[in-house]
Amino acid sequence: MNYQWPSPGKLNLFLHIIGYRANDYHYLQTLFQFIDYGDSIEVLVTDTGKVRLFTRMDGLMYRNNLVVRAAKLLQYYCWPNKKSALGADIFLNKVLPIGSGLGGASSNAATVLMILNQQWRCYLNKNILMRLGLMLGSDVPVFIYGYSAFAEGVGDVLTPVFIPEKWYLLVIPPISINTSWVFQVYKLKNRFYSPYRSMRDLLSASFSNDLEEIVKEIAPEIKVYFNYLSQYAPTRLTGTGSCIFSEFNTEYLAYQVQSYLPSWIKSIVTRGINLSPLHQKLLNYNTLIL
């Protein structure tokens, strides 16, 4: 039986950069929450040892695609000598825009690691999968973790945080932002980082994103979208991408504000969720196959 596995997006409800590490990673403090909106992935196990990706979205390079890299990393970990290694055909239905800050590539990589871990019968525990995920990108571990979380370190030190599952209006400009470029510009422009603060302090303070002004400098047209949305509700940037969002207590209010936006602005209404839909489906799947 084949399944369409969810590969959800995320929001950084706040993001603070508190230091720099020598390998081009930055130390941060951020609050991740999943959203009920994202890609889907189907995986067919093969006995060829080859990993193949099929998708209709333009611009996804095969060799450097994080989905393929994730599968090959797990393959090497499970079969280091490559003898009798299983393969996979991976079908990616891409909805999350590239460079939007919604975590699409990281989520895709995490979904592939978790599904192939089962279907290839590697049966690695979550901690090992998270360590493998960190080799692919700093956002991958939280998608493997599966719960909304306060993150420290380079994004790999996670504490579960169950926060209100509010509604969000996402505005998605047709702009792709390169994460490494944002951090390089931030490092050049900032001599001082945000101070370290306790999780309790940050959760009770006003939420903000240290990289928001840098992204606006890199892509000034994003200011236009900020101006439209911020007329109606407080607006923030998520992660290092181009997507901006506003938070609402009800679905009705989110759709009401969406109706005020010009038709040429791409936007969606979605809900924040504390348990990844991938993990929920895996729980149901595992129950069914017992």
Side-chain angles (χ1 to χ4, degrees):
M1 183 182 296
N2 298 325
Y3 286 88
Q4 291 286 334
W5 297 102
S7 186
K10 58 82 179 168
L11 293 176
N12 295 84
L13 299 184
F14 62 73
L15 175 59
H16 302 295
I17 311 303
I18 62 172
Y20 172 71
R21 203 165 79 174
N23 62 354
D24 280 340
Y25 275 94
H26 283 74
Y27 294 111
L28 54 84
Q29 293 183 295
T30 190
L31 180 60
F32 287 111
Q33 188 174 42
F34 302 110
I35 54 174
D36 194 19
Y37 178 77
D39 304 333
S40 60
I41 293 176
E42 182 179 348
V43 177
L44 300 179
V45 173
T46 69
D47 59 5
T48 64
K50 295 180 180 179
V51 174
R52 300 191 300 174
L53 174 65
F54 300 89
T55 181
R56 293 183 177 181
M57 176 171 273
D58 295 333
L60 293 181
M61 297 295 292
Y62 173 81
R63 290 182 180 178
N64 294 322
N65 185 276
L66 216 58
V67 167
V68 176
R69 288 170 55 196
K72 289 188 173 182
L73 178 61
L74 182 65
Q75 190 180 54
Y76 179 77
Y77 191 92
C78 296
W79 296 281
N81 59 7
K82 295 188 178 180
K83 291 182 179 179
S84 303
L86 294 174
D89 288 344
I90 302 168
F91 300 86
L92 172 60
N93 178 26
K94 194 71 179 162
V95 174
L96 297 168
I98 297 171
S100 64
L102 296 175
S106 296
S107 180
N108 297 162
T111 296
V112 165
L113 284 174
M114 294 187 67
I115 300 309
L116 285 179
N117 181 51
Q118 287 207 349
Q119 295 193 358
W120 281 348
R121 298 180 180 175
C122 300
Y123 300 133
L124 305 177
N125 65 41
K126 185 184 287 188
N127 289 334
I128 293 176
L129 289 177
M130 288 173 64
R131 289 202 295 270
L132 292 176
L134 186 60
M135 297 170 66
L136 299 166
S138 60
D139 282 352
V140 179
V142 73
F143 288 103
I144 297 172
Y145 189 63
Y147 298 97
S148 293
F150 173 67
E152 298 182 283
V154 296
D156 60 321
V157 181
L158 301 169
T159 302
V161 178
F162 293 91
I163 51 182
E165 295 183 329
K166 295 191 176 183
W167 290 89
Y168 296 97
L169 172 57
L170 311 184
V171 166
I172 307 173
I175 304 164
S176 179
I177 304 293
N178 184 284
T179 295
S180 62
W181 191 12
V182 172
F183 278 110
Q184 287 174 19
V185 174
Y186 182 83
K187 187 172 66 172
L188 288 173
K189 286 182 170 288
N190 289 272
R191 295 183 180 180
F192 304 102
Y193 294 99
S194 291
Y196 178 86
R197 298 162 70 183
S198 70
M199 181 176 74
R200 175 180 291 184
D201 185 18
L202 287 169
L203 290 175
S204 62
S206 297
F207 291 176
S208 63
N209 184 335
D210 286 354
L211 299 173
E212 189 171 295
E213 294 306 315
I214 297 297
V215 170
K216 287 179 181 178
E217 288 185 28
I218 291 173
E221 57 269 43
I222 288 177
K223 295 178 184 178
V224 175
Y225 296 86
F226 263 96
N227 290 339
Y228 273 107
L229 187 54
S230 60
Q231 293 178 75
Y232 309 107
T235 302
R236 300 194 298 279
L237 184 86
T238 178
T240 60
S242 59
C243 179
I244 61 176
F245 67 95
S246 292
E247 179 181 287
F248 301 90
N249 289 324
T250 67
E251 182 181 19
Y252 172 79
L253 286 174
Y255 276 112
Q256 186 175 41
V257 171
Q258 185 185 43
S259 70
Y260 300 152
L261 299 176
S263 60
W264 54 267
I265 292 181
K266 180 181 178 180
S267 64
I268 63 164
V269 171
T270 187
R271 191 169 192 176
I273 47 178
N274 289 321
L275 174 64
S276 164
L278 171 64
H279 287 67
Q280 184 61 62
K281 188 159 188 174
L282 278 169
L283 287 171
N284 296 337
Y285 172 79
N286 289 333
T287 300
L288 289 172
I289 65 174
L290 287 178

Short mmCIF file of all heavy atoms in Angstrom, two decimals, residues 113-156:
data_model
loop_
_atom_site.label_atom_id
_atom_site.label_comp_id
_atom_site.label_asym_id
_atom_site.label_seq_id
_atom_site.Cartn_x
_atom_site.Cartn_y
_atom_site.Cartn_z
N LEU A 113 13.65 10.96 5.26
CA LEU A 113 14.43 10.21 6.25
C LEU A 113 13.52 9.32 7.10
O LEU A 113 13.82 8.15 7.35
CB LEU A 113 15.20 11.17 7.16
CG LEU A 113 16.46 11.82 6.59
CD1 LEU A 113 17.01 12.85 7.57
CD2 LEU A 113 17.53 10.77 6.27
N MET A 114 12.40 9.86 7.54
CA MET A 114 11.53 9.11 8.44
C MET A 114 10.81 7.98 7.72
O MET A 114 10.66 6.87 8.26
CB MET A 114 10.53 10.06 9.10
CG MET A 114 11.19 11.06 10.03
SD MET A 114 10.00 12.04 10.96
CE MET A 114 9.27 10.80 12.00
N ILE A 115 10.34 8.23 6.50
CA ILE A 115 9.60 7.19 5.77
C ILE A 115 10.54 6.09 5.31
O ILE A 115 10.25 4.90 5.46
CB ILE A 115 8.84 7.81 4.59
CG1 ILE A 115 7.84 8.86 5.09
CG2 ILE A 115 8.12 6.73 3.80
CD1 ILE A 115 6.92 8.39 6.19
N LEU A 116 11.68 6.46 4.75
CA LEU A 116 12.62 5.43 4.30
C LEU A 116 13.21 4.67 5.47
O LEU A 116 13.56 3.48 5.34
CB LEU A 116 13.73 6.06 3.45
CG LEU A 116 13.31 6.47 2.04
CD1 LEU A 116 14.49 7.11 1.30
CD2 LEU A 116 12.78 5.28 1.24
N ASN A 117 13.35 5.32 6.61
CA ASN A 117 13.83 4.61 7.80
C ASN A 117 12.93 3.42 8.12
O ASN A 117 13.40 2.35 8.53
CB ASN A 117 13.87 5.58 8.98
CG ASN A 117 14.38 4.93 10.26
OD1 ASN A 117 15.43 4.29 10.27
ND2 ASN A 117 13.64 5.10 11.35
N GLN A 118 11.63 3.61 7.91
CA GLN A 118 10.69 2.50 8.12
C GLN A 118 10.67 1.54 6.95
O GLN A 118 10.75 0.33 7.11
CB GLN A 118 9.29 3.05 8.37
CG GLN A 118 9.11 3.70 9.73
CD GLN A 118 7.67 3.63 10.20
OE1 GLN A 118 6.77 3.28 9.47
NE2 GLN A 118 7.45 3.94 11.47
N GLN A 119 10.53 2.09 5.74
CA GLN A 119 10.31 1.24 4.59
C GLN A 119 11.56 0.47 4.17
O GLN A 119 11.46 -0.60 3.56
CB GLN A 119 9.75 2.06 3.43
CG GLN A 119 8.37 2.64 3.75
CD GLN A 119 7.66 3.18 2.54
OE1 GLN A 119 8.17 3.19 1.43
NE2 GLN A 119 6.44 3.66 2.76
N TRP A 120 12.73 1.03 4.48
CA TRP A 120 13.97 0.28 4.26
C TRP A 120 14.32 -0.61 5.46
O TRP A 120 15.31 -1.31 5.46
CB TRP A 120 15.14 1.25 4.01
CG TRP A 120 15.19 1.80 2.62
CD1 TRP A 120 14.49 1.38 1.53
CD2 TRP A 120 16.01 2.89 2.17
NE1 TRP A 120 14.83 2.13 0.42
CE2 TRP A 120 15.76 3.06 0.79
CE3 TRP A 120 16.93 3.72 2.80
CZ2 TRP A 120 16.40 4.02 0.02
CZ3 TRP A 120 17.57 4.69 2.04
CH2 TRP A 120 17.32 4.84 0.67
N ARG A 121 13.50 -0.51 6.51
CA ARG A 121 13.67 -1.30 7.73
C ARG A 121 15.04 -1.06 8.39
O ARG A 121 15.68 -1.97 8.88
CB ARG A 121 13.47 -2.80 7.43
CG ARG A 121 12.06 -3.10 6.93
CD ARG A 121 11.83 -4.55 6.64
NE ARG A 121 10.46 -4.76 6.17
CZ ARG A 121 9.99 -5.92 5.74
NH1 ARG A 121 10.77 -7.00 5.74
NH2 ARG A 121 8.73 -6.02 5.34
N CYS A 122 15.42 0.22 8.38
CA CYS A 122 16.63 0.61 9.12
C CYS A 122 16.32 0.69 10.61
O CYS A 122 17.16 0.35 11.45
CB CYS A 122 17.15 1.96 8.63
SG CYS A 122 17.60 2.00 6.89
N TYR A 123 15.13 1.21 10.94
CA TYR A 123 14.64 1.31 12.32
C TYR A 123 15.61 2.07 13.23
O TYR A 123 15.85 1.68 14.36
CB TYR A 123 14.34 -0.08 12.89
CG TYR A 123 13.28 -0.83 12.11
CD1 TYR A 123 13.47 -2.16 11.74
CD2 TYR A 123 12.10 -0.19 11.72
CE1 TYR A 123 12.50 -2.85 11.01
CE2 TYR A 123 11.12 -0.87 10.99
CZ TYR A 123 11.33 -2.19 10.64
OH TYR A 123 10.37 -2.86 9.92
N LEU A 124 16.16 3.17 12.71
CA LEU A 124 17.00 4.04 13.53
C LEU A 124 16.10 4.85 14.45
O LEU A 124 14.97 5.20 14.09
CB LEU A 124 17.81 4.99 12.64
CG LEU A 124 18.68 4.34 11.56
CD1 LEU A 124 19.37 5.41 10.73
CD2 LEU A 124 19.69 3.38 12.15
N ASN A 125 16.59 5.16 15.65
CA ASN A 125 15.76 5.94 16.55
C ASN A 125 15.76 7.42 16.15
O ASN A 125 16.55 7.86 15.31
CB ASN A 125 16.19 5.75 18.01
CG ASN A 125 17.58 6.27 18.30
OD1 ASN A 125 17.98 7.33 17.82
ND2 ASN A 125 18.33 5.54 19.12
N LYS A 126 14.87 8.17 16.78
CA LYS A 126 14.68 9.58 16.41
C LYS A 126 15.95 10.40 16.60
O LYS A 126 16.26 11.28 15.79
CB LYS A 126 13.52 10.18 17.21
CG LYS A 126 13.18 11.61 16.81
CD LYS A 126 12.09 12.21 17.70
CE LYS A 126 10.76 11.63 17.42
NZ LYS A 126 9.67 12.37 18.16
N ASN A 127 16.70 10.14 17.66
CA ASN A 127 17.92 10.92 17.92
C ASN A 127 18.95 10.75 16.81
O ASN A 127 19.60 11.71 16.39
CB ASN A 127 18.53 10.52 19.26
CG ASN A 127 17.70 11.00 20.44
OD1 ASN A 127 16.98 11.99 20.33
ND2 ASN A 127 17.78 10.30 21.56
N ILE A 128 19.09 9.53 16.31
CA ILE A 128 20.03 9.30 15.20
C ILE A 128 19.54 10.00 13.95
O ILE A 128 20.31 10.65 13.23
CB ILE A 128 20.23 7.79 14.96
CG1 ILE A 128 20.94 7.15 16.14
CG2 ILE A 128 21.00 7.55 13.67
CD1 ILE A 128 21.08 5.64 16.04
N LEU A 129 18.25 9.90 13.67
CA LEU A 129 17.69 10.57 12.49
C LEU A 129 17.87 12.09 12.59
O LEU A 129 18.17 12.75 11.59
CB LEU A 129 16.22 10.23 12.33
CG LEU A 129 15.87 8.81 11.89
CD1 LEU A 129 14.36 8.63 11.85
CD2 LEU A 129 16.48 8.50 10.52
N MET A 130 17.72 12.64 13.78
CA MET A 130 17.91 14.08 13.95
C MET A 130 19.36 14.47 13.71
O MET A 130 19.64 15.53 13.13
CB MET A 130 17.44 14.52 15.34
CG MET A 130 15.93 14.51 15.50
SD MET A 130 15.36 14.83 17.19
CE MET A 130 15.93 16.50 17.43
N ARG A 131 20.30 13.64 14.13
CA ARG A 131 21.71 13.93 13.88
C ARG A 131 22.03 13.86 12.38
O ARG A 131 22.79 14.69 11.86
CB ARG A 131 22.61 12.97 14.66
CG ARG A 131 22.62 13.24 16.17
CD ARG A 131 23.85 12.67 16.85
NE ARG A 131 23.89 11.23 16.78
CZ ARG A 131 23.36 10.41 17.69
NH1 ARG A 131 22.71 10.91 18.73
NH2 ARG A 131 23.48 9.10 17.56
N LEU A 132 21.43 12.89 11.71
CA LEU A 132 21.60 12.82 10.26
C LEU A 132 20.96 14.05 9.61
O LEU A 132 21.53 14.64 8.68
CB LEU A 132 20.96 11.55 9.70
CG LEU A 132 21.63 10.22 10.07
CD1 LEU A 132 20.82 9.05 9.52
CD2 LEU A 132 23.06 10.16 9.52
N GLY A 133 19.79 14.44 10.09
CA GLY A 133 19.10 15.60 9.54
C GLY A 133 19.91 16.87 9.68
O GLY A 133 19.93 17.71 8.78
N LEU A 134 20.61 17.03 10.81
CA LEU A 134 21.41 18.23 11.04
C LEU A 134 22.54 18.33 10.02
O LEU A 134 22.99 19.43 9.69
CB LEU A 134 21.97 18.22 12.46
CG LEU A 134 22.71 19.49 12.91
CD1 LEU A 134 21.78 20.70 12.85
CD2 LEU A 134 23.27 19.31 14.31
N MET A 135 23.01 17.21 9.50
CA MET A 135 24.04 17.22 8.47
C MET A 135 23.52 17.82 7.16
O MET A 135 24.29 18.28 6.32
CB MET A 135 24.56 15.80 8.22
CG MET A 135 25.25 15.18 9.42
SD MET A 135 25.60 13.41 9.20
CE MET A 135 26.80 13.47 7.87
N LEU A 136 22.21 17.84 7.02
CA LEU A 136 21.58 18.37 5.80
C LEU A 136 21.16 19.83 5.95
O LEU A 136 21.12 20.57 4.98
CB LEU A 136 20.36 17.53 5.44
CG LEU A 136 20.64 16.06 5.15
CD1 LEU A 136 19.34 15.25 5.13
CD2 LEU A 136 21.38 15.90 3.82
N GLY A 137 20.83 20.24 7.16
CA GLY A 137 20.40 21.62 7.39
C GLY A 137 19.89 21.80 8.80
O GLY A 137 19.39 20.86 9.43
N SER A 138 19.99 23.02 9.31
CA SER A 138 19.67 23.28 10.72
C SER A 138 18.18 23.20 11.03
O SER A 138 17.79 23.06 12.19
CB SER A 138 20.22 24.65 11.14
OG SER A 138 19.65 25.67 10.34
N ASP A 139 17.32 23.29 10.00
CA ASP A 139 15.87 23.20 10.24
C ASP A 139 15.35 21.77 10.16
O ASP A 139 14.20 21.51 10.54
CB ASP A 139 15.10 24.06 9.23
CG ASP A 139 15.12 25.54 9.58
OD1 ASP A 139 15.61 25.88 10.67
OD2 ASP A 139 14.66 26.34 8.77
N VAL A 140 16.16 20.84 9.66
CA VAL A 140 15.67 19.47 9.46
C VAL A 140 15.32 18.78 10.79
O VAL A 140 14.29 18.12 10.89
CB VAL A 140 16.69 18.63 8.65
CG1 VAL A 140 16.20 17.20 8.48
CG2 VAL A 140 16.95 19.27 7.29
N PRO A 141 16.15 18.93 11.86
CA PRO A 141 15.84 18.21 13.10
C PRO A 141 14.45 18.46 13.66
O PRO A 141 13.81 17.53 14.16
CB PRO A 141 16.93 18.69 14.06
CG PRO A 141 18.10 19.00 13.18
CD PRO A 141 17.47 19.60 11.95
N VAL A 142 13.93 19.68 13.60
CA VAL A 142 12.63 19.95 14.22
C VAL A 142 11.52 19.20 13.50
O VAL A 142 10.54 18.77 14.12
CB VAL A 142 12.33 21.47 14.28
CG1 VAL A 142 11.99 22.03 12.90
CG2 VAL A 142 11.20 21.75 15.27
N PHE A 143 11.66 19.00 12.20
CA PHE A 143 10.63 18.24 11.46
C PHE A 143 10.68 16.76 11.83
O PHE A 143 9.66 16.08 11.78
CB PHE A 143 10.82 18.43 9.96
CG PHE A 143 10.43 19.80 9.47
CD1 PHE A 143 11.40 20.75 9.17
CD2 PHE A 143 9.10 20.16 9.32
CE1 PHE A 143 11.05 22.02 8.73
CE2 PHE A 143 8.73 21.42 8.88
CZ PHE A 143 9.71 22.36 8.58
N ILE A 144 11.85 16.27 12.17
CA ILE A 144 11.96 14.88 12.65
C ILE A 144 11.47 14.79 14.09
O ILE A 144 10.82 13.81 14.48
CB ILE A 144 13.42 14.40 12.53
CG1 ILE A 144 13.86 14.39 11.06
CG2 ILE A 144 13.61 13.02 13.15
CD1 ILE A 144 15.33 14.12 10.85
N TYR A 145 11.73 15.81 14.87
CA TYR A 145 11.28 15.87 16.26
C TYR A 145 9.76 15.78 16.35
O TYR A 145 9.21 15.05 17.18
CB TYR A 145 11.80 17.17 16.87
CG TYR A 145 11.64 17.33 18.35
CD1 TYR A 145 12.28 16.48 19.24
CD2 TYR A 145 10.85 18.36 18.87
CE1 TYR A 145 12.14 16.64 20.61
CE2 TYR A 145 10.72 18.54 20.24
CZ TYR A 145 11.37 17.67 21.10
OH TYR A 145 11.23 17.83 22.45
N GLY A 146 9.08 16.58 15.51
CA GLY A 146 7.65 16.40 15.35
C GLY A 146 6.74 17.25 16.21
O GLY A 146 5.52 17.18 16.08
N TYR A 147 7.30 18.07 17.10
CA TYR A 147 6.49 18.90 17.98
C TYR A 147 6.92 20.37 17.84
O TYR A 147 8.10 20.65 17.61
CB TYR A 147 6.65 18.49 19.45
CG TYR A 147 6.20 17.08 19.74
CD1 TYR A 147 7.12 16.04 19.79
CD2 TYR A 147 4.85 16.80 19.97
CE1 TYR A 147 6.70 14.74 20.05
CE2 TYR A 147 4.43 15.51 20.24
CZ TYR A 147 5.36 14.48 20.27
OH TYR A 147 4.95 13.20 20.52
N SER A 148 5.97 21.27 18.01
CA SER A 148 6.35 22.68 18.10
C SER A 148 7.39 22.82 19.20
O SER A 148 7.29 22.18 20.25
CB SER A 148 5.13 23.54 18.44
OG SER A 148 4.22 23.52 17.37
N ALA A 149 8.41 23.64 18.94
CA ALA A 149 9.55 23.62 19.86
C ALA A 149 10.26 24.95 19.92
O ALA A 149 10.32 25.71 18.94
CB ALA A 149 10.55 22.54 19.43
N PHE A 150 10.81 25.21 21.10
CA PHE A 150 11.78 26.28 21.29
C PHE A 150 13.14 25.69 20.94
O PHE A 150 13.53 24.64 21.45
CB PHE A 150 11.76 26.75 22.74
CG PHE A 150 12.83 27.75 23.09
CD1 PHE A 150 12.83 29.02 22.54
CD2 PHE A 150 13.85 27.41 23.97
CE1 PHE A 150 13.82 29.94 22.86
CE2 PHE A 150 14.84 28.32 24.31
CZ PHE A 150 14.82 29.59 23.75
N ALA A 151 13.86 26.35 20.03
CA ALA A 151 15.12 25.81 19.53
C ALA A 151 16.28 26.72 19.88
O ALA A 151 16.17 27.95 19.79
CB ALA A 151 15.06 25.62 18.01
N GLU A 152 17.39 26.09 20.27
CA GLU A 152 18.63 26.81 20.56
C GLU A 152 19.77 26.12 19.82
O GLU A 152 19.55 25.25 18.99
CB GLU A 152 18.88 26.85 22.06
CG GLU A 152 17.80 27.59 22.84
CD GLU A 152 18.11 27.65 24.33
OE1 GLU A 152 17.90 26.64 25.02
OE2 GLU A 152 18.57 28.72 24.78
N GLY A 153 21.00 26.51 20.16
CA GLY A 153 22.15 25.99 19.42
C GLY A 153 22.10 26.51 18.00
O GLY A 153 21.90 27.71 17.76
N VAL A 154 22.25 25.61 17.04
CA VAL A 154 22.09 26.00 15.63
C VAL A 154 20.70 25.59 15.12
O VAL A 154 20.46 25.54 13.92
CB VAL A 154 23.20 25.38 14.75
CG1 VAL A 154 24.56 25.92 15.14
CG2 VAL A 154 23.18 23.85 14.81
N GLY A 155 19.81 25.32 16.07
CA GLY A 155 18.45 24.88 15.74
C GLY A 155 18.21 23.44 16.12
O GLY A 155 17.13 22.90 15.87
N ASP A 156 19.23 22.82 16.75
CA ASP A 156 19.17 21.39 17.04
C ASP A 156 18.87 21.06 18.49
O ASP A 156 18.61 19.91 18.84
CB ASP A 156 20.48 20.72 16.63
CG ASP A 156 21.68 21.30 17.36
OD1 ASP A 156 21.71 22.53 17.56
OD2 ASP A 156 22.60 20.53 17.71
#
